[in-house]
Amino acid sequence: LLKLKKSNILREQFLAIRKLLALENSDYKITYEINGKPLLNSNYNISISHSHEIAAIAISDNSKIGLDVQLKESKIVNIQNKFLNKSEKSNIGDDLTVDILTMVWASKESIYKAIGLKGVSFSKNIQIEKVTEKDKIGKGYYINGAEKVKFDLRFFYLDEYILCYASQNLES
């Protein structure tokens, strides 16, 4: 798989993920479902993310987890209408800073990874109820017809990056 990576940064990210995994447990091996979702050779679930020089993994016994890391970039302001819906704009408020928008985008990416389905619409199927910059928490949902899966969101800041960890709220 390493040979298939076309750029140095993609090769470095690929190797960094495997190194992180080996540090956690040298017996862990990653395989991929046909839709690209990573699997571990254990009873645990894994989510992988990388952005520029950051690589991250999350491992959990929760059936639905997702991890996303995003570099904060001002261009997110220009594309917000592609991933935000009207309800999110009213729930989140008018103070749509680069940080808030990056938190929402990372939330949607994390939930998307947790669901593991192709064809999910970020604006229609993934609803972010709230993100709180101060507490670094949030709530979101995957909605498809009558199906509604609730996710708890946790945010971590690392220099100019925001990481979001989404885990299915099993109480809902």
Side-chain angles (χ1 to χ4, degrees):
L1 285 174
L2 180 61
K3 292 177 184 175
L4 297 176
K5 306 297 177 191
K6 289 183 173 43
S7 71
N8 283 341
I9 190 75
L10 292 175
R11 284 191 285 276
E12 288 171 7
Q13 291 168 345
F14 179 90
L15 292 171
I17 292 298
R18 272 115 193 112
K19 180 67 174 174
L20 283 170
L21 197 58
L23 290 171
E24 180 64 27
N25 184 327
S26 60
D27 293 331
Y28 284 162
K29 301 291 179 241
I30 301 173
T31 58
Y32 294 89
E33 291 180 359
I34 195 150
N35 64 6
K37 185 174 174 68
L39 298 170
L40 271 184
N41 60 334
S42 73
N43 291 331
Y44 295 109
N45 296 294
I46 187 170
S47 187
I48 297 170
S49 187
H50 34 71
S51 176
H52 302 274
E53 297 179 2
I54 300 288
I57 59 173
I59 299 171
S60 174
D61 58 359
N62 185 312
S63 62
K64 293 192 185 332
I65 62 158
L67 178 72
D68 191 56
V69 57
Q70 293 290 327
L71 177 64
K72 294 187 281 184
E73 297 180 279
S74 60
K75 68 181 179 183
I76 198 163
V77 173
N78 300 330
I79 63 164
Q80 64 182 295
N81 292 328
K82 293 183 189 235
F83 63 90
L84 284 179
N85 58 47
K86 288 178 187 172
S87 146
E88 288 166 332
K89 288 179 184 177
S90 63
N91 286 344
I92 296 165
D94 294 327
D95 189 24
L96 297 176
T97 63
V98 169
D99 282 22
I100 293 290
L101 288 168
T102 304
M103 289 171 77
V104 172
W105 176 255
S107 299
K108 290 189 176 232
E109 282 280 352
S110 296
I111 291 173
Y112 172 76
K113 289 177 178 184
I115 294 298
L117 299 172
K118 291 289 184 195
V120 172
S121 165
F122 276 39
S123 60
K124 293 182 179 116
N125 299 118
I126 301 176
Q127 175 73 41
I128 305 305
E129 187 174 288
K130 72 173 188 174
V131 293
T132 308
E133 199 171 6
K134 181 174 77 73
D135 298 328
K136 296 181 177 57
I137 59 171
K139 285 190 178 28
Y141 298 89
Y142 167 73
I143 302 166
N144 189 7
E147 181 182 11
K148 188 172 185 180
V149 182
K150 183 177 182 182
F151 287 89
D152 293 320
L153 306 168
R154 301 277 180 266
F155 299 95
F156 305 90
Y157 290 71
L158 180 62
D159 297 328
E160 291 302 306
Y161 293 87
I162 293 178
L163 287 84
C164 178
Y165 174 74
S167 60
Q168 183 179 359
N169 182 316
L170 299 173
E171 296 171 10
S172 61

